[in-house]
Amino acid sequence: MKLYSTRGQSPVVELGEAVLRGLPPDNGLYMPEYIPTLDVSFFEDLPGMSLPDIGYSVCKALFQDYIPDVELRRIINAAINFPAPVVKLSEDTYVLELFHGPSLAFKDFGARFMAQLMGYFNRHEDEKLVILVATSGDTGGAVASGFVGVDGIEVCILYPSGKVSPLQEKQLTTHGKNITAIEVKGTFDDCQDLVKKAFLDPNLTNVLRLSSANSINIARLIPQSFYYFDAFRQLESREGDVWFSVPSGNFGNLTAGLFAKKMGLDITGFIAATNVNDVVPRYLDQGIYEPRPSIRTISNAMDVGNPSNFRRLEDLFCSTWNNFRDNMIGFSFSDSETKHKLSEVNNRYGYLLDPHGAVGMLAWDQFRQTDLGKNTTGVVLETAHPAKFKDDVESIIGEDITLPKSLMDIKDKEKVAYLMPPDYDSFSRYLLDRYN
Ligand SMILES: *Cc1c(COP(=O)(O)O)cnc(C)c1O
């Protein structure tokens, strides 16, 4: 599988290099040179396939025998070891639950698959690969649990002290083994600056093999295409066209859906659902892409003012506004609308959404009132478990909610983190002491 950079100034590389590098040297984003259409026989077999079976078939077609079958099976079985069930809310409305992984959010799919692929591509190296990650909360947990126990890889996670939720902190700091947490007495931006400096510092890069587990790594997008096929398979009835409503921030999830469509899945279109950070819905409306500083909302994993995957979308659509509009429609919503929808769905269906899923549901409900939306079937992606946002969700519905078992267990584990000022010398010394 060959990949090129969206900027076109870097050489085409094989999958292994793209995954281990993360970003091409020209600072573009890697894109598959060729996205195959899957065989008719795949779609005939789809109703009886499991999620790992689907993943295997998709990767086999995409990777073109770049990874031997036995290894590919092992990678997929290790990464995709939890389900993505579809729940029917009404005749035309389904929810695709993507929160059954260890960190209770869809990012587990990408993080676990990337961890397995990196471990595989790194297998012949004598020296450890050290992965540096700055997190504002969510990504770090998925990355930590994805990489724990992967041979030959060390992960160092930086998070801002006091600025992640207590449960998120436990998800970062209780794994031990090859996962190290650094609690930075500063902001998320401080964490990110430390990581950026480390990658540019020859004193480190000459002696350590550094890499990132960035959200723009192509290995995170690929497994996110699997569950679109799996969702389709689970739909009971299919009234007219099928639209997926995708709560979006950096637009990785939606880009992965477009990959599935390109591979032949009969998705009519995507509803880009955002909170007030609405640069993409605005672009779809007006044809002007204007990044802006992000605004804080209750669906905070989507507080993104300049979505990193926009360049991938432009690449897929040849930067042509009409191509965008043929595949996507966008809506944005305020926090008060989000709270209202969360509570309404809970009352009407007894189904508890999280704030991100509620934005997806709002967008689907708005879409079905348009001409295009009449007599269609909608699948709303539920990107996180409501218990991840316990305080907000409880205050919206006025009831206590119970934590899933994985969160209960983690509450009692002991936090281990190295407290550090936001100071580059301390950080680089720490890395050299620990990993050199
Ligand atoms: C990351 C995240 C999103 C946004 O996904 P993108 O792929 O960045 O668009 C939505 N919901 C939750 C819960 C997330 O963690």
Side-chain angles (χ1 to χ4, degrees):
M1 179 189 189
K2 298 262 199 305
L3 299 107
Y4 62 90
S5 164
T6 51
R7 286 239 169 109
Q9 308 291 315
S10 299
V12 167
V13 297
E14 267 299 349
L15 180 63
E17 188 174 343
V19 170
L20 290 177
R21 266 185 172 280
L23 277 179
D26 65 3
N27 256 321
L29 296 173
Y30 281 121
M31 280 292 274
E33 211 169 45
Y34 169 64
I35 299 178
T37 307
L38 300 178
D39 291 343
V40 176
S41 65
F42 168 83
F43 290 99
E44 285 169 358
D45 295 343
L46 186 59
M49 287 170 89
S50 67
L51 183 55
D53 288 344
I54 292 169
Y56 177 77
S57 298
V58 167
C59 288
K60 207 164 153 53
L62 258 179
F63 298 175
Q64 307 273 312
D65 294 325
Y66 181 58
I67 297 179
D69 287 353
V70 180
E71 289 297 327
L72 186 57
R73 275 274 177 212
R74 190 190 53 71
I75 288 167
I76 291 191
N77 289 341
I80 313 296
N81 58 353
F82 53 91
V86 163
V87 174
K88 185 174 184 175
L89 285 197
S90 68
E91 268 323 295
D92 59 357
T93 303
Y94 295 81
V95 176
L96 170 58
E97 294 185 342
L98 299 175
F99 54 69
H100 294 275
S103 80
L104 306 180
F106 82 90
K107 292 196 174 66
D108 283 322
F109 286 94
R112 296 178 70 79
F113 188 77
M114 174 171 63
Q116 291 299 323
L117 273 191
M118 279 187 160
Y120 173 74
F121 290 128
N122 192 53
R123 69 199 180 285
H124 296 312
E125 298 289 341
D126 297 332
E127 263 179 73
K128 280 191 185 334
L129 186 66
V130 180
I131 293 184
L132 305 179
V133 198
T135 183
S136 54
D138 248 11
T139 310
V143 167
S145 82
F147 277 95
V148 67
V150 174
D151 270 350
I153 297 187
E154 291 283 339
V155 176
C156 182
I157 300 180
L158 291 81
Y159 70 96
S161 182
K163 296 197 176 61
V164 304
S165 80
L167 274 174
Q168 281 178 331
E169 183 169 41
K170 287 285 171 108
Q171 289 181 323
L172 302 173
T173 58
T174 56
H175 288 283
K177 297 188 187 150
N178 57 331
I179 312 295
T180 303
I182 298 186
E183 178 177 2
V184 177
K185 283 184 255 172
T187 62
F188 170 62
D189 290 334
D190 292 327
C191 298
Q192 215 161 19
D193 286 346
L194 291 174
V195 168
K196 279 186 189 155
K197 277 196 188 130
F199 285 124
L200 297 173
D201 179 358
N203 290 329
L204 289 181
T205 54
N206 287 338
V207 290
L208 297 176
R209 291 180 62 228
L210 297 181
S211 184
S212 80
N214 217 305
S215 64
I216 37 68
N217 195 307
I218 189 72
R220 296 205 17 189
L221 285 192
I222 293 166
Q224 289 174 212
S225 67
F226 305 166
Y227 46 70
Y228 287 90
F229 293 96
D230 194 41
F232 223 82
R233 180 187 72 76
Q234 295 175 70
L235 298 182
E236 266 174 36
S237 54
R238 249 213 297 131
E239 202 45 51
D241 295 341
V242 178
W243 287 73
F244 279 77
S245 179
V246 188
S248 295
N250 273 317
F251 283 79
N253 224 351
L254 201 149
T255 306
L258 285 161
F259 284 4
K261 185 172 182 197
K262 249 192 141 88
M263 286 185 258
L265 189 62
D266 191 17
I267 300 172
T268 310
F270 296 87
I271 307 165
T274 73
N275 57 32
V276 291
N277 295 284
D278 61 351
V279 286
V280 172
R282 263 173 202 265
Y283 170 75
L284 292 166
D285 259 3
Q286 297 161 11
I288 302 161
Y289 182 70
E290 257 179 345
R292 272 175 302 154
S294 66
I295 299 162
R296 213 184 154 101
T297 73
I298 57 165
S299 48
N300 58 27
M302 314 199 298
D303 295 350
V304 179
N306 186 10
S308 52
N309 281 294
F310 190 75
R311 280 179 288 161
R312 284 201 169 106
L313 294 176
E314 280 191 305
D315 198 84
L316 279 170
F317 296 138
C318 311
S319 301
T320 305
W321 188 44
N322 279 331
N323 289 348
F324 269 88
R325 285 161 56 97
D326 284 345
N327 289 277
M328 298 165 66
I329 184 161
F331 300 105
S332 69
F333 302 93
S334 67
D335 277 356
S336 67
E337 290 170 301
T338 305
K339 291 176 184 172
H340 183 260
K341 181 56 71 179
L342 196 154
S343 154
E344 181 198 299
V345 170
N346 187 43
N347 292 335
R348 183 184 300 179
Y349 301 109
Y351 189 86
L352 190 59
L353 290 163
D354 93 297
H356 304 79
V359 171
M361 190 61 74
L362 277 164
W364 161 240
D365 280 341
Q366 180 143 340
F367 172 70
R368 28 199 318 216
Q369 283 159 32
T370 64
D371 283 344
L372 203 57
K374 296 239 161 64
N375 301 317
T376 58
T377 294
V379 183
V380 177
L381 271 55
E382 173 51 311
T383 47
H385 192 290
K388 279 203 98 160
F389 307 92
K390 191 171 185 296
D391 294 347
D392 280 332
V393 171
E394 285 182 343
S395 88
I396 294 168
I397 61 168
E399 285 167 41
D400 286 351
I401 57 175
T402 43
L403 291 181
K405 190 170 176 313
S406 61
L407 284 189
M408 295 283 248
D409 292 349
I410 219 171
K411 260 175 48 177
D412 303 325
K413 288 196 183 160
E414 195 195 343
K415 160 186 164 182
V416 181
Y418 190 88
L419 194 63
M420 189 182 284
D423 160 50
Y424 183 69
D425 286 340
S426 314
F427 181 52
S428 65
R429 235 179 299 120
Y430 180 85
L431 291 178
L432 287 171
D433 282 351
R434 180 159 182 98
Y435 300 118
N436 194 20

PDB file of all heavy atoms in Angstrom, residues 48-66:
ATOM      1  N   GLY A  48     -23.217 -11.899   7.044  1.00  0.00           N
ATOM      2  CA  GLY A  48     -22.789 -12.903   8.003  1.00  0.00           C
ATOM      3  C   GLY A  48     -21.412 -12.644   8.606  1.00  0.00           C
ATOM      4  O   GLY A  48     -20.870 -13.494   9.315  1.00  0.00           O
ATOM      5  N   MET A  49     -20.849 -11.471   8.331  1.00  0.00           N
ATOM      6  CA  MET A  49     -19.476 -11.232   8.787  1.00  0.00           C
ATOM      7  C   MET A  49     -19.433 -10.559  10.158  1.00  0.00           C
ATOM      8  O   MET A  49     -20.312  -9.798  10.527  1.00  0.00           O
ATOM      9  CB  MET A  49     -18.736 -10.361   7.760  1.00  0.00           C
ATOM     10  CG  MET A  49     -18.386 -11.116   6.485  1.00  0.00           C
ATOM     11  SD  MET A  49     -17.794 -10.007   5.194  1.00  0.00           S
ATOM     12  CE  MET A  49     -16.056  -9.988   5.570  1.00  0.00           C
ATOM     13  N   SER A  50     -18.338 -10.848  10.897  1.00  0.00           N
ATOM     14  CA  SER A  50     -18.105 -10.170  12.173  1.00  0.00           C
ATOM     15  C   SER A  50     -17.289  -8.904  11.905  1.00  0.00           C
ATOM     16  O   SER A  50     -16.725  -8.735  10.813  1.00  0.00           O
ATOM     17  CB  SER A  50     -17.327 -11.085  13.111  1.00  0.00           C
ATOM     18  OG  SER A  50     -16.022 -11.278  12.597  1.00  0.00           O
ATOM     19  N   LEU A  51     -17.195  -8.053  12.919  1.00  0.00           N
ATOM     20  CA  LEU A  51     -16.400  -6.831  12.756  1.00  0.00           C
ATOM     21  C   LEU A  51     -14.925  -7.141  12.430  1.00  0.00           C
ATOM     22  O   LEU A  51     -14.358  -6.548  11.512  1.00  0.00           O
ATOM     23  CB  LEU A  51     -16.549  -5.955  14.010  1.00  0.00           C
ATOM     24  CG  LEU A  51     -15.856  -4.598  14.028  1.00  0.00           C
ATOM     25  CD1 LEU A  51     -16.254  -3.722  12.843  1.00  0.00           C
ATOM     26  CD2 LEU A  51     -16.169  -3.853  15.330  1.00  0.00           C
ATOM     27  N   PRO A  52     -14.284  -8.093  13.132  1.00  0.00           N
ATOM     28  CA  PRO A  52     -12.906  -8.427  12.738  1.00  0.00           C
ATOM     29  C   PRO A  52     -12.794  -9.009  11.319  1.00  0.00           C
ATOM     30  O   PRO A  52     -11.835  -8.713  10.604  1.00  0.00           O
ATOM     31  CB  PRO A  52     -12.461  -9.468  13.785  1.00  0.00           C
ATOM     32  CG  PRO A  52     -13.355  -9.240  14.954  1.00  0.00           C
ATOM     33  CD  PRO A  52     -14.661  -8.753  14.399  1.00  0.00           C
ATOM     34  N   ASP A  53     -13.799  -9.810  10.896  1.00  0.00           N
ATOM     35  CA  ASP A  53     -13.794 -10.312   9.509  1.00  0.00           C
ATOM     36  C   ASP A  53     -13.811  -9.156   8.515  1.00  0.00           C
ATOM     37  O   ASP A  53     -13.096  -9.167   7.503  1.00  0.00           O
ATOM     38  CB  ASP A  53     -15.059 -11.147   9.213  1.00  0.00           C
ATOM     39  CG  ASP A  53     -15.038 -12.501   9.896  1.00  0.00           C
ATOM     40  OD1 ASP A  53     -13.950 -12.930  10.337  1.00  0.00           O
ATOM     41  OD2 ASP A  53     -16.126 -13.123  10.007  1.00  0.00           O
ATOM     42  N   ILE A  54     -14.665  -8.179   8.809  1.00  0.00           N
ATOM     43  CA  ILE A  54     -14.772  -7.018   7.921  1.00  0.00           C
ATOM     44  C   ILE A  54     -13.426  -6.292   7.872  1.00  0.00           C
ATOM     45  O   ILE A  54     -12.920  -5.950   6.802  1.00  0.00           O
ATOM     46  CB  ILE A  54     -15.884  -6.061   8.415  1.00  0.00           C
ATOM     47  CG1 ILE A  54     -17.257  -6.730   8.252  1.00  0.00           C
ATOM     48  CG2 ILE A  54     -15.831  -4.728   7.678  1.00  0.00           C
ATOM     49  CD1 ILE A  54     -18.393  -5.986   8.947  1.00  0.00           C
ATOM     50  N   GLY A  55     -12.840  -6.089   9.061  1.00  0.00           N
ATOM     51  CA  GLY A  55     -11.549  -5.408   9.129  1.00  0.00           C
ATOM     52  C   GLY A  55     -10.497  -6.130   8.306  1.00  0.00           C
ATOM     53  O   GLY A  55      -9.705  -5.505   7.586  1.00  0.00           O
ATOM     54  N   TYR A  56     -10.499  -7.439   8.414  1.00  0.00           N
ATOM     55  CA  TYR A  56      -9.525  -8.240   7.676  1.00  0.00           C
ATOM     56  C   TYR A  56      -9.703  -8.055   6.160  1.00  0.00           C
ATOM     57  O   TYR A  56      -8.734  -7.812   5.428  1.00  0.00           O
ATOM     58  CB  TYR A  56      -9.676  -9.709   8.078  1.00  0.00           C
ATOM     59  CG  TYR A  56      -8.782 -10.645   7.330  1.00  0.00           C
ATOM     60  CD1 TYR A  56      -7.432 -10.740   7.640  1.00  0.00           C
ATOM     61  CD2 TYR A  56      -9.292 -11.442   6.298  1.00  0.00           C
ATOM     62  CE1 TYR A  56      -6.599 -11.600   6.946  1.00  0.00           C
ATOM     63  CE2 TYR A  56      -8.465 -12.298   5.598  1.00  0.00           C
ATOM     64  CZ  TYR A  56      -7.122 -12.373   5.927  1.00  0.00           C
ATOM     65  OH  TYR A  56      -6.302 -13.222   5.227  1.00  0.00           O
ATOM     66  N   SER A  57     -10.943  -8.137   5.690  1.00  0.00           N
ATOM     67  CA  SER A  57     -11.187  -7.997   4.245  1.00  0.00           C
ATOM     68  C   SER A  57     -10.827  -6.599   3.743  1.00  0.00           C
ATOM     69  O   SER A  57     -10.239  -6.453   2.665  1.00  0.00           O
ATOM     70  CB  SER A  57     -12.660  -8.267   3.913  1.00  0.00           C
ATOM     71  OG  SER A  57     -12.997  -9.572   4.264  1.00  0.00           O
ATOM     72  N   VAL A  58     -11.193  -5.590   4.517  1.00  0.00           N
ATOM     73  CA  VAL A  58     -10.887  -4.212   4.113  1.00  0.00           C
ATOM     74  C   VAL A  58      -9.371  -4.018   4.017  1.00  0.00           C
ATOM     75  O   VAL A  58      -8.852  -3.498   3.036  1.00  0.00           O
ATOM     76  CB  VAL A  58     -11.508  -3.196   5.107  1.00  0.00           C
ATOM     77  CG1 VAL A  58     -10.953  -1.795   4.895  1.00  0.00           C
ATOM     78  CG2 VAL A  58     -13.037  -3.188   4.988  1.00  0.00           C
ATOM     79  N   CYS A  59      -8.654  -4.495   5.051  1.00  0.00           N
ATOM     80  CA  CYS A  59      -7.194  -4.307   5.056  1.00  0.00           C
ATOM     81  C   CYS A  59      -6.525  -5.116   3.964  1.00  0.00           C
ATOM     82  O   CYS A  59      -5.553  -4.669   3.349  1.00  0.00           O
ATOM     83  CB  CYS A  59      -6.600  -4.703   6.409  1.00  0.00           C
ATOM     84  SG  CYS A  59      -6.998  -3.520   7.685  1.00  0.00           S
ATOM     85  N   LYS A  60      -7.015  -6.297   3.727  1.00  0.00           N
ATOM     86  CA  LYS A  60      -6.405  -7.134   2.697  1.00  0.00           C
ATOM     87  C   LYS A  60      -6.489  -6.441   1.332  1.00  0.00           C
ATOM     88  O   LYS A  60      -5.523  -6.419   0.573  1.00  0.00           O
ATOM     89  CB  LYS A  60      -7.092  -8.496   2.659  1.00  0.00           C
ATOM     90  CG  LYS A  60      -6.172  -9.567   2.152  1.00  0.00           C
ATOM     91  CD  LYS A  60      -6.661 -10.956   2.439  1.00  0.00           C
ATOM     92  CE  LYS A  60      -6.107 -11.901   1.384  1.00  0.00           C
ATOM     93  NZ  LYS A  60      -4.644 -11.831   1.231  1.00  0.00           N
ATOM     94  N   ALA A  61      -7.651  -5.838   1.073  1.00  0.00           N
ATOM     95  CA  ALA A  61      -7.818  -5.119  -0.196  1.00  0.00           C
ATOM     96  C   ALA A  61      -6.959  -3.845  -0.236  1.00  0.00           C
ATOM     97  O   ALA A  61      -6.335  -3.542  -1.250  1.00  0.00           O
ATOM     98  CB  ALA A  61      -9.295  -4.764  -0.396  1.00  0.00           C
ATOM     99  N   LEU A  62      -6.911  -3.136   0.873  1.00  0.00           N
ATOM    100  CA  LEU A  62      -6.150  -1.875   0.914  1.00  0.00           C
ATOM    101  C   LEU A  62      -4.647  -2.121   0.897  1.00  0.00           C
ATOM    102  O   LEU A  62      -3.900  -1.460   0.184  1.00  0.00           O
ATOM    103  CB  LEU A  62      -6.466  -1.141   2.216  1.00  0.00           C
ATOM    104  CG  LEU A  62      -7.432   0.025   2.242  1.00  0.00           C
ATOM    105  CD1 LEU A  62      -7.567   0.536   3.678  1.00  0.00           C
ATOM    106  CD2 LEU A  62      -7.000   1.162   1.340  1.00  0.00           C
ATOM    107  N   PHE A  63      -4.193  -3.080   1.711  1.00  0.00           N
ATOM    108  CA  PHE A  63      -2.748  -3.282   1.895  1.00  0.00           C
ATOM    109  C   PHE A  63      -2.125  -4.094   0.763  1.00  0.00           C
ATOM    110  O   PHE A  63      -0.910  -4.120   0.622  1.00  0.00           O
ATOM    111  CB  PHE A  63      -2.455  -3.985   3.235  1.00  0.00           C
ATOM    112  CG  PHE A  63      -2.883  -3.227   4.473  1.00  0.00           C
ATOM    113  CD1 PHE A  63      -2.769  -3.811   5.736  1.00  0.00           C
ATOM    114  CD2 PHE A  63      -3.395  -1.941   4.395  1.00  0.00           C
ATOM    115  CE1 PHE A  63      -3.158  -3.115   6.886  1.00  0.00           C
ATOM    116  CE2 PHE A  63      -3.793  -1.246   5.541  1.00  0.00           C
ATOM    117  CZ  PHE A  63      -3.668  -1.843   6.776  1.00  0.00           C
ATOM    118  N   GLN A  64      -2.959  -4.810   0.012  1.00  0.00           N
ATOM    119  CA  GLN A  64      -2.437  -5.571  -1.145  1.00  0.00           C
ATOM    120  C   GLN A  64      -1.304  -6.522  -0.748  1.00  0.00           C
ATOM    121  O   GLN A  64      -0.219  -6.460  -1.298  1.00  0.00           O
ATOM    122  CB  GLN A  64      -1.918  -4.597  -2.212  1.00  0.00           C
ATOM    123  CG  GLN A  64      -2.907  -3.547  -2.637  1.00  0.00           C
ATOM    124  CD  GLN A  64      -3.812  -4.019  -3.751  1.00  0.00           C
ATOM    125  OE1 GLN A  64      -3.344  -4.573  -4.724  1.00  0.00           O
ATOM    126  NE2 GLN A  64      -5.104  -3.847  -3.601  1.00  0.00           N
ATOM    127  N   ASP A  65      -1.536  -7.373   0.240  1.00  0.00           N
ATOM    128  CA  ASP A  65      -0.555  -8.380   0.662  1.00  0.00           C
ATOM    129  C   ASP A  65       0.730  -7.799   1.240  1.00  0.00           C
ATOM    130  O   ASP A  65       1.741  -8.480   1.331  1.00  0.00           O
ATOM    131  CB  ASP A  65      -0.193  -9.332  -0.499  1.00  0.00           C
ATOM    132  CG  ASP A  65      -1.399 -10.154  -0.900  1.00  0.00           C
ATOM    133  OD1 ASP A  65      -2.196 -10.496  -0.006  1.00  0.00           O
ATOM    134  OD2 ASP A  65      -1.554 -10.445  -2.098  1.00  0.00           O
ATOM    135  N   TYR A  66       0.706  -6.532   1.624  1.00  0.00           N
ATOM    136  CA  TYR A  66       1.896  -5.914   2.219  1.00  0.00           C
ATOM    137  C   TYR A  66       2.190  -6.544   3.591  1.00  0.00           C
ATOM    138  O   TYR A  66       3.331  -6.606   4.024  1.00  0.00           O
ATOM    139  CB  TYR A  66       1.663  -4.413   2.326  1.00  0.00           C
ATOM    140  CG  TYR A  66       2.809  -3.637   2.896  1.00  0.00           C
ATOM    141  CD1 TYR A  66       4.070  -3.671   2.301  1.00  0.00           C
ATOM    142  CD2 TYR A  66       2.636  -2.850   4.043  1.00  0.00           C
ATOM    143  CE1 TYR A  66       5.116  -2.946   2.824  1.00  0.00           C
ATOM    144  CE2 TYR A  66       3.681  -2.120   4.564  1.00  0.00           C
ATOM    145  CZ  TYR A  66       4.920  -2.177   3.955  1.00  0.00           C
ATOM    146  OH  TYR A  66       5.953  -1.451   4.479  1.00  0.00           O
TER     147      TYR A  66
END
